[in-house]
């Protein structure tokens, strides 16, 4: 499973690396709503929450599904503007003006993304104009809960009112906590953007993407970028550009905007050593499958304590050497055991460092 971006015809100058204050505010709201996703931000979350005005905290809950369960494309409004080459604004105020330039149809479809009911990656009727799409979106919103249903009904009944509400809410968040955070974070993000831009100019797109995340690969012959994600999607730069947007508050989320008709965006985390070499989802699934077999689990108990030969394991488990060899082959293919030779004996041992990382790799994989 992965998201593919067709970049046929994309010129080097069509790729830009630019921080976005509005996208970073969205990530901040997500971290405040889901602190368990971001253990490294615990201090910041605690500090913001402690001094948050109760009225603003209540408003934050009113539409938190825009940034809690999904990350709405409303936080990346420049990608939806007609020329598909618009860059993020330098300030939050500029980006809120860009948000105002989205059509009501774009705004509503992006806001209703939490229902998973709109045709995200393909063209189709809009929620605002098509009665059947509208009915289905409200039905899915109702399945998510009464708060989501009320928001959907208000949004579809009066889009300008919700647009004004969201703009004022984001401005109030900026005043309450984000302006202070952005003053600190923007320097790190600007430095990362300069570094990636330098890589683009000196070494090309493949090197820049590799520096963004090992989960992103470029097939130059096919003119296609592939992002290893737990989901499928396709988009194309077409006659537009490709944007790389760094975030300091977003680890472990590596997100791809692939909404039909919008400029493709790679929204990637910076400054997190944990992301240096993530396992592919295929490797992760292979390792978890290998460990799920009861015989291999019992073998791991012995292999974690010391190295053993195939014959020793066969004797301990009451199995034949070929049976043990087959189980060892599965563990070795998954990268869970190491082998070394001692004279005429081959010793196998569990790689406890790899196994210890499985929990964090699982979390990073499903949240990527």
């Amino acid at each position: 499973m992965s998201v593919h971006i067709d970049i046929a015809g994309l010129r080097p100058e069509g790729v830009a690396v630019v921080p976005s204050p509005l996208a970073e505010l969205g990530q901040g709201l997500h971290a405040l709503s889901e602190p368990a996703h971001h253990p490294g931000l615990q201090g910041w979350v605690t500090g913001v929450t402690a001094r948050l005005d109760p009225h603003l905290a209540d408003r934050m809950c009113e539409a938190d599904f825009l940034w809690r369960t999904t990350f709405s494309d409303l936080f990346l409004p420049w990608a939806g503007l007609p020329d598909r080459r618009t860059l993020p604004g330098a300030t939050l105020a500029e980006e809120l003006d860009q948000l105002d330039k989205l059509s009501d149809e774009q705004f509503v479809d992006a806001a209703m993304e939490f229902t998973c009911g709109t045709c995200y990656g393909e063209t189709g009727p809009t929620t605002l104009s098509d009665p059947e799409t509208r009915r289905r979106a409200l039905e899915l919103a109702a399945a998510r809960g009464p708060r989501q249903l009320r928001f959907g009904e208000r949004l579809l009944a009066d889009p300008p009112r919700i647009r004004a509400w969201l703009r004022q809410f984001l401005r109030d968040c900026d005043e309450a906590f984000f302006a202070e955070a952005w003053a600190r974070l923007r320097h790190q993000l600007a430095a990362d953007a300069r570094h990636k831009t330098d890589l683009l100019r000196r070494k090309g797109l493949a090197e820049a993407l590799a520096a963004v995340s090992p989960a992103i690969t470029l097939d130059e012959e096919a003119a296609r970028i592939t992002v290893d994600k737990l989901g499928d999607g396709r988009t194309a730069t077409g006659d537009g550009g490709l944007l790389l947007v760094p975030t300091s508050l977003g680890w472990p989320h590596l997100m791809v905007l692939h909404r039909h008709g919008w400029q493709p965006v790679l929204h990637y985390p910076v400054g997190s050593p944990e992301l240096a070499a993530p396992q592919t989802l295929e490797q992760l699934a292979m390792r978890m499958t290998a460990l799920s077999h009861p015989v291999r689990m019992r073998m791991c108990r012995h292999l974690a304590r010391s190295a053993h030969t195939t014959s020793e394991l066969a004797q301990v488990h009451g199995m034949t050497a070929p049976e043990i060899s087959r189980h060892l082959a599965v563990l070795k293919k998954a990268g869970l055991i190491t082998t070394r030779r001692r004279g005429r004996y081959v010793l196998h041992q569990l790689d406890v460092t790899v196994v210890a990382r499985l929990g964090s790799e699982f979390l990073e994989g499903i949240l990527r």
Side-chain angles (χ1 to χ4, degrees):
M1 291 182 286
S2 53
V3 178
H4 302 284
I5 305 174
D6 183 347
I7 59 169
L10 179 66
R11 300 175 64 84
E13 60 270 22
V15 184
V17 191
V18 188
S20 163
L22 181 54
E24 196 68 356
L25 172 53
Q27 288 287 7
L29 288 167
H30 172 72
L32 291 169
S33 299
E34 289 286 359
H37 289 188
H38 309 271
L41 297 176
Q42 187 174 31
W44 179 77
V45 168
T46 301
V48 170
T49 304
R51 65 176 187 270
L52 201 62
D53 176 76
H55 179 59
L56 182 58
D58 289 342
R59 291 161 63 202
M60 196 175 291
C61 294
E62 192 172 341
D64 66 352
F65 37 84
L66 294 178
W67 51 82
R68 181 196 287 267
T69 54
T70 59
F71 188 78
S72 173
D73 291 341
L74 293 177
F75 292 102
L76 314 170
W78 22 267
L81 298 184
D83 66 356
R84 303 186 74 210
R85 291 181 180 274
T86 303
L87 300 180
T91 66
L92 182 64
E94 289 178 29
E95 291 195 291
L96 291 178
D97 289 342
Q98 291 172 327
L99 179 61
D100 287 343
K101 292 179 182 179
L102 294 180
S103 68
D104 280 349
E105 286 77 11
Q106 286 178 301
F107 185 92
V108 169
D109 279 349
M112 293 294 284
E113 184 184 335
F114 71 90
T115 66
C116 305
T118 55
C119 298
Y120 185 88
E122 56 191 45
T123 186
T126 68
T127 311
L128 200 58
S129 62
D130 181 67
E132 179 56 27
T133 305
R134 181 191 190 103
R135 183 198 64 77
R136 179 61 177 157
L138 287 176
E139 184 179 273
L140 291 168
R144 297 274 176 152
R147 189 154 45 88
Q148 288 88 329
L149 176 59
R150 286 195 299 271
F151 178 85
E153 291 172 337
R154 290 167 52 211
L155 174 64
L156 291 169
D158 192 354
R161 182 180 178 184
I162 296 299
R163 296 181 73 145
W165 177 90
L166 181 62
R167 181 186 178 98
Q168 186 59 54
F169 169 74
L170 295 173
R171 290 178 61 186
D172 291 345
C173 287
D174 183 48
E175 183 178 343
F177 63 87
F178 182 68
E180 178 184 348
W182 181 248
R184 171 175 50 87
L185 297 173
R186 63 187 178 91
H187 301 293
Q188 179 193 22
L189 297 179
D192 183 82
R194 286 193 298 270
H195 172 61
K196 299 297 191 301
T197 300
D198 186 54
L199 281 176
L200 275 169
R201 291 172 178 169
R202 291 189 299 107
K203 297 188 176 182
L205 182 58
E207 289 284 341
L209 292 176
V212 165
S213 170
I216 305 174
T217 56
L218 170 64
D219 184 335
E220 297 191 68
E221 186 176 343
R224 182 176 63 236
I225 295 170
T226 299
V227 186
D228 189 36
K229 294 275 289 181
L230 197 62
D232 295 305
R234 292 186 177 275
T235 188
T237 52
D239 58 356
L242 172 69
L243 276 175
L244 280 59
V245 178
T247 168
S248 287
L249 299 176
W251 186 88
H253 307 301
L254 170 63
M255 295 184 289
V256 189
L257 189 161
H258 55 97
R259 180 180 292 276
H260 179 79
W262 289 43
Q263 180 178 192
V265 179
L266 294 171
H267 193 193
Y268 67 93
V270 301
S272 298
E274 301 94 326
L275 201 66
Q279 295 298 315
T280 66
L281 293 170
E282 183 181 0
Q283 289 171 318
L284 178 62
M286 185 186 298
R287 288 179 174 176
M288 297 183 74
T289 300
L291 292 173
S292 68
H293 195 286
V295 171
R296 291 194 285 271
M297 287 184 69
R298 289 196 298 270
M299 288 170 58
C300 286
R301 182 172 182 269
H302 290 86
L303 295 171
R305 294 177 176 180
S306 63
H308 293 276
T309 66
T310 301
S311 296
E312 287 174 332
L313 291 169
Q315 183 177 357
V316 168
H317 292 281
M319 301 172 67
T320 66
E323 288 174 323
I324 290 294
S325 293
R326 284 193 290 271
H327 286 298
L328 287 172
V330 173
L331 293 170
K332 187 173 182 179
K333 185 177 180 181
L336 295 169
I337 62 172
T338 60
T339 60
R340 70 179 188 272
R341 183 171 290 279
R342 189 178 65 195
R344 64 189 182 92
Y345 297 102
V346 176
L347 298 171
H348 310 279
Q349 190 161 17
L350 189 71
D351 191 333
V352 293
T353 303
V354 170
V355 176
R357 286 203 306 263
L358 273 177
S360 61
E361 287 175 351
F362 175 75
L363 184 63
E364 189 275 335
I366 63 173
L367 294 179
R368 187 188 296 161

